[in-house]
């Protein structure tokens, strides 16, 4: 068998690709359960109601939706990413996280500057209230799986497991600068 070479694999990409030919990821079980819990709690409606006072009713360009923004921050919290650039990069890189946040494949993920601007727009009390619901939802997603407090499932990464342990022990939001 002859050795394949990168040079022979290089070719011009097709201009148009059917959506059925795109790569798909099975998703991450934790984020799928968390999304189910957040949907059951009407998370998006809750954050849109809490954040409506920070946005103009009809003028201006469309903003990053509060649901996408707060789900992005939850990803940063659970994956131990403290920087907005890191959160933006992780969202752009992962199909499973795009599905969790609700960004289609033909949509662009939010840029770090958009996440930063949205963070400055929304007050600390709203962040605390939303994080209490989101982190509480993570504890519920973990409890749905039958895990006891302080014990991680073997398929969770250490950072995610540590975040889950914090979520189970501390239902109040952890103050963190994003």
């Amino acid at each position: 068998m002859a050795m394949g070479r990168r040079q022979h694999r290089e070719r011009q990409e097709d201009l148009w690709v059917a959506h059925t030919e795109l790569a798909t990821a099975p998703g991450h079980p934790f984020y799928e359960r968390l999304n189910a819990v957040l949907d059951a709690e009407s998370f998006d409606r809750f954050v849109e109601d809490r954040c409506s006072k920070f946005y103009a009713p009809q003028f201006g360009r469309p903003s990053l939706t509060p649901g996408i923004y707060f789900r992005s921050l939850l990803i940063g919290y659970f994956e131990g990413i403290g920087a907005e650039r890191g959160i933006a990069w992780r969202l752009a890189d992962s199909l499973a996280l795009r599905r969790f946040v609700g960004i289609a494949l033909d949509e662009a993920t939010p840029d770090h500057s958009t996440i930063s601007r949205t963070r400055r727009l929304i007050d600390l009390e709203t962040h605390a209230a939303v994080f209490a619901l989101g982190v509480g939802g993570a504890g519920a997603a973990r409890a749905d799986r039958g895990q006891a407090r302080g014990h991680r499932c073997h398929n969770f990464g250490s950072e995610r497991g540590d975040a889950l342990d914090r979520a189970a022990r501390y239902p109040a939001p952890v103050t963190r600068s994003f």
Side-chain angles (χ1 to χ4, degrees):
M1 177 183 286
M3 179 178 71
R5 297 190 182 274
R6 182 180 184 107
Q7 177 181 8
H8 298 299
R9 291 185 39 85
E10 291 179 1
R11 62 182 175 88
Q12 182 175 350
E13 296 291 326
D14 293 334
L15 183 62
W16 183 83
V17 178
H19 73 89
T20 56
E21 295 177 13
L22 291 173
T24 59
H28 193 283
F30 170 73
Y31 288 114
E32 288 177 1
R33 285 191 307 274
L34 179 57
N35 228 1
V37 170
L38 293 178
D39 287 344
E41 295 288 329
S42 301
F43 180 77
D44 289 303
R45 185 174 46 211
F46 174 76
V47 296
E48 286 169 6
D49 291 344
R50 294 291 299 232
C51 295
S52 63
K53 61 186 173 188
F54 303 112
Y55 294 93
Q58 59 186 182
F59 297 109
R61 74 177 182 91
S63 66
L64 180 62
T65 65
I68 290 176
Y69 168 69
F70 282 108
R71 277 183 169 88
S72 301
L73 292 186
L74 286 172
I75 288 169
Y77 177 74
F78 291 124
E79 305 227 349
I81 304 170
E84 289 148 354
R85 285 181 190 269
I87 294 170
W89 178 85
R90 186 75 175 102
L91 272 175
D93 189 52
S94 172
L95 294 174
L97 294 181
R98 287 176 77 103
R99 185 178 304 145
F100 168 69
V101 172
I103 299 174
L105 289 174
D106 61 342
E107 293 179 288
T109 56
D111 188 56
H112 71 91
S113 60
T114 304
I115 296 171
S116 179
R117 190 189 73 65
T118 305
R119 178 186 48 82
R120 288 190 305 268
L121 177 72
I122 299 171
D123 66 4
L124 187 61
E125 292 79 25
T126 304
H127 277 92
V130 172
F131 249 72
L133 178 64
V135 172
R142 185 171 190 212
D144 287 346
R145 189 138 209 281
Q147 290 181 295
R149 281 189 189 189
H151 293 49
R152 294 195 278 277
C153 177
H154 69 281
N155 65 348
F156 287 140
S158 63
E159 290 178 357
R160 182 176 294 114
D162 292 342
L164 288 172
D165 290 342
R166 284 194 305 268
R169 278 189 246 123
Y170 306 108
V174 177
T175 304
R176 197 168 169 181
S177 62
F178 284 99

